[in-house]
Each structure stands twice: as C-alpha cells, then as structure tokens.
Amino acid sequence: MDILNLLKIITTIVTAAIALIIGLRVLFLNKSDLLNKWFALYFITSSLGFFIYAIYHLILDNSNIIIPLMITAHIFFNFNSISLVMTLFVLEKHTKVAMSLKYLGTMLILFFIMSIGYFIFPPYLDMGDYALSIVNTHTPLGLLIFVNAVRLLLTIYAVYRYIGITRKIEGDTKIRLKWFSFGIILFIFGLFINLAGGMLALIVIEILALIIIDIGALLVLKGFLIKSK
C-alpha cells in the first residue's frame, strides 16, 4: 500500500474516532434530551461509516466481504443525513410531533428508499486493482447520483432552516445555533469534498476533506458546550 493510501486510512480512522467521541460527549451532556440524542446519532453513524470504510480498505485477502462492508458503511451515511434533519424537526417542533409518523415516519421511509438500491443494484469491486492490493469499489452511476442527490438536498434543507432559526432568536441559544450551523456546514462540505475526491481518485483531496470534517465536528461540539446563563 502506498503512503498516500495509508495516510488516507489513518486520517479516516482519526476522523471516525473524533466523531465517536463527540457523539458520546453530546449524548452524555443530557441523555434525556431528544435533540442531544439525534445529534449523537448524527456523529455516531458518521463514525461507524468511517470506521467500516477504513476497515474494508485494509482487507486484501478476502474480496467476498468488502462489498457487504461497503454497503453497510453507506447505510450508516444514509442514516447520518436522516439524523441531521431529525435534529431540525426536534428543534422546530414539539418532541411528540417530531417523533410522529408524519416526520420520523417520512424520514425512515426515505432512509429505506435510499438504502434499498444498494441491494437491487449492488456495487462491485474492481478485481484488477484488487490484484494490485488496491481496494477500489464502484457504485452504479444512477444509484450513486440518486443517493448523493438525496443526501445533498436533505443537508441543504437542514442548513438553510438552521440559518433561518438563528436569525429569529437571541441570546445564548442564538450563539449555540451559530456554532451548530457553522460546524454542520463545514462537516457537510467536508463529506462532499471527500466524495468528490473519491470519485476523481484524488487522495490528497480526500485527506483534506477529512480534516475539514474534523474541524466541523469540533465546532458543533463547541455549540453544545456553551451553557445557558
């Protein structure tokens, strides 16, 4: 394995660890708060996706388990987008309303639609690259475009609404939401830069994207650590 690929995997593992630590930290700040739970899920599913991504890129002697692991990673990334929108619903709506069939039910149906395609049109492993000890997976173009378009639309909607909420409130909550919004924007920007780097096979771009993701995650945590007076 060349040095850049190794560095990418190390950076991915570091990013996964940071996301997991932040997710658990947010959860333990207030275990009973639904907003904290959904934000924790947002980071924990990101962490699991990155961990699995790193693991299957290290498997060079068993090609049969790579695609199942790759699909599992993407399912976690799909739920990541759902979790982000649910944080918005919890913030804007009453808890019972956010967890109703109309909101949570709709998001779970969308999650199912996003994920089922990986079993109908499964990704495949480039066996030529694998023979050279390079793990290179390919997703059918239509599925790739559909899933990432849905992820992008969900995240743009969530960020847009967060910015709108921030403008309407004052005090410590406004400051917290500013950190949330800025951190989420960086986190999401990093995710899509990472995707672009992967599609273009530019490992340096992927590594830079992971660093951006780490910074965004830390900014979201800062927002949670700001205490109301």
Side-chain angles (χ1 to χ4, degrees):
M1 183 180 295
D2 65 78
I3 187 64
L4 277 179
N5 269 299
L6 181 60
L7 185 58
K8 180 182 75 171
I9 291 172
I10 292 172
T11 309
T12 301
I13 293 172
V14 170
T15 299
I18 290 174
L20 179 61
I21 291 168
I22 290 175
L24 294 175
R25 181 75 174 94
V26 168
L27 178 63
F28 290 128
L29 281 172
N30 189 344
K31 293 183 182 179
S32 63
D33 189 278
L34 191 59
L35 181 63
N36 286 50
K37 289 179 179 179
W38 279 109
F39 260 117
L41 271 175
Y42 176 68
F43 285 110
I44 291 171
T45 52
S46 297
S47 172
L48 292 172
F50 282 125
F51 268 128
I52 295 172
Y53 175 89
I55 288 169
Y56 75 72
H57 275 81
L58 291 170
I59 298 174
L60 302 177
D61 59 354
N62 188 351
S63 61
N64 293 326
I65 65 173
I66 290 176
I67 293 303
L69 286 175
M70 181 259 198
I71 292 173
T72 302
H74 278 280
I75 287 174
F76 278 121
F77 287 134
N78 286 347
F79 198 78
N80 167 272
S81 301
I82 299 302
S83 299
L84 178 61
V85 177
M86 285 305 300
T87 66
L88 174 67
F89 290 158
V90 171
L91 191 62
E92 286 190 315
K93 314 292 181 182
H94 189 278
T95 298
K96 289 184 178 180
V97 174
M99 298 299 287
S100 68
L101 183 62
K102 178 179 179 181
Y103 292 97
L104 177 58
T106 299
M107 288 295 101
L108 290 179
I109 291 171
L110 185 56
F111 167 69
F112 175 79
I113 293 172
M114 293 169 67
S115 301
I116 192 64
Y118 287 100
F119 300 95
I120 300 173
F121 308 104
Y124 60 93
L125 179 65
D126 188 320
M127 297 307 296
D129 284 346
Y130 195 68
L132 301 174
S133 298
I134 299 172
V135 176
N136 188 12
T137 59
H138 299 280
T139 302
L141 183 60
L143 177 62
L144 181 70
I145 292 173
F146 170 74
V147 171
N148 284 287
V150 175
R151 289 176 184 170
L152 180 60
L153 289 172
L154 289 175
T155 52
I156 288 175
Y157 171 73
V159 170
Y160 173 77
R161 293 298 304 149
Y162 263 105
I163 293 173
I165 294 170
T166 303
R167 291 175 178 173
K168 296 177 182 179
I169 58 178
E170 299 295 336
D172 292 334
T173 302
K174 184 181 183 73
I175 297 173
R176 294 182 70 189
L177 284 179
K178 278 186 176 180
W179 284 111
F180 290 163
S181 300
F182 189 39
I184 289 170
I185 289 171
L186 277 181
F187 194 94
I188 293 166
F189 179 67
L191 286 175
F192 282 98
I193 292 297
N194 187 54
L195 172 65
M199 293 176 66
L200 298 173
L202 297 174
I203 297 177
V204 174
I205 298 298
E206 292 182 74
I207 294 171
L208 177 61
L210 290 168
I211 294 171
I212 293 172
I213 289 169
D214 294 340
I215 295 171
L218 291 170
L219 292 180
V220 173
L221 177 62
K222 179 176 176 63
F224 269 99
L225 295 177
I226 295 174
K227 295 182 179 180
S228 301
K229 298 178 181 178

